[in-house]
Amino acid sequence: MPKLPRILMILTSHRLDCFTLCIDLLARESLARFDVVAILCSGVEGRHRRYVEDLPRRFPGNQWEILHGARGRGKPIADLQNECVRRHPNALYFKLDEDTFVSRDWDLRVVEAYEKFQGDNRLSLITPVVTNNQRGAYHLLTTFAELGAEFTRRFNQPIVTTRMGPIWILPQCAEFMMRRFLNLDDANEELRAKHTAPFETFSYPFSINCICYDYRHWQEIGGVPEQDENGWGEWIPKHGKFIVLATQGVVHHYSFFVQQDWLDRTSLIEDIRNANLPGTKTLRQRLQFARVRRIAIQLPQALIRRMKSLA
């Protein structure tokens, strides 16, 4: 089969700190392998918008598209993706959230999975192993038995594939997984040394922080569902389709909304940068200004909750 154009879609809304790290990690290597890089801006304004609009100047070797839409979950996000696909039909589409941080060859592992299964019309989505994502964490915790035992001992939580399991609910579990595989390229080497099967298939809801699909699937599902993740999670098993886990590529996803405040009080995002892009911290990052700001933003609500508890 002829090679399909590769379209990278990055959804961004309000986390410029995460988005800049996402771009910096892509720029190490994989960004150059995409035919089009589309930034899907969900209510992006101000400094964030200026950063996005400067990307074509910084990376002139890529074809860039910037699409703007309303802020919100579900339909606004689906509309942006669908508009991008309509502009670039008959391609292979990769979607990242703004707080997804990739290894150097993550896209190659996903393409390998696509080439293996593209002839099977049951194929729907492809995803790599995402650390802060219940399906990715399940693969890591079962592949590394000693890690699974430590997880069970430390958190007294089950190792399950349920989308909203302990990894999703408990930020401590999410941080544990990301810190264990902090350097993504090292994580890939360690995982590949296990010589497990390069692909696994499943057919149940999962978190779509980093996915790939082709034009055939986009057409058969009628476009990205308005319910986005929930829509895919219902449609795929109902129609006898499956998802492929590309087991040889590790990717970080920083936070779900239920984890965000807790994780923002840690230095995790700075530590991910330092592990994967050493020497690239700004002076503000080295002095922990960004972390202090994240904590300061939370103080008013924390004080209100405290006052209510004392009333």
Side-chain angles (χ1 to χ4, degrees), residues 33 63-64 66-67 72 77 89 93 113 143 154 164 170 175 210 258 280 286 291 305 308:
R33 288 192 284 266
Q63 178 183 336
W64 293 85
I66 301 171
L67 285 74
I77 291 173
Y93 310 96
T143 299
R154 181 179 297 196
M164 295 182 180
L170 300 173
E175 184 185 23
C210 177
V258 293
T280 66
R286 290 198 298 271
R291 182 185 179 193
R305 289 194 299 269
K308 285 181 177 179

Side-chain angles (χ1 to χ4, degrees), residues 63 126 184 283:
Q63 178 183 336
I126 302 167
L184 288 161
L283 177 61

Side-chain angles (χ1 to χ4, degrees), residues 8 10 21-32 34 37 96 100 102-103 106:
L8 175 62
I10 310 173
L21 180 53
C22 176
I23 292 292
D24 289 348
L25 286 166
L26 284 162
R28 293 189 300 173
E29 183 175 319
S30 59
L31 194 68
F34 290 96
V37 181
L96 298 180
T100 302
V102 300
S103 57
W106 71 281

Side-chain angles (χ1 to χ4, degrees), residues 127-143 160-161 167 177 181 202 206 245:
T127 182
V129 177
V130 183
T131 50
N132 182 15
N133 165 315
Q134 196 69 51
R135 185 60 183 84
Y138 176 84
H139 180 74
L140 294 168
L141 292 169
T142 53
T143 299
V160 294
T161 60
I167 301 296
M177 293 303 302
F181 298 97
F202 62 97
F206 77 113
L245 180 73

Side-chain angles (χ1 to χ4, degrees), residues 69-83:
R71 173 74 62 85
R73 300 176 186 272
K75 189 175 186 301
I77 291 173
D79 287 347
L80 283 166
Q81 291 180 74
N82 286 328
E83 175 59 25

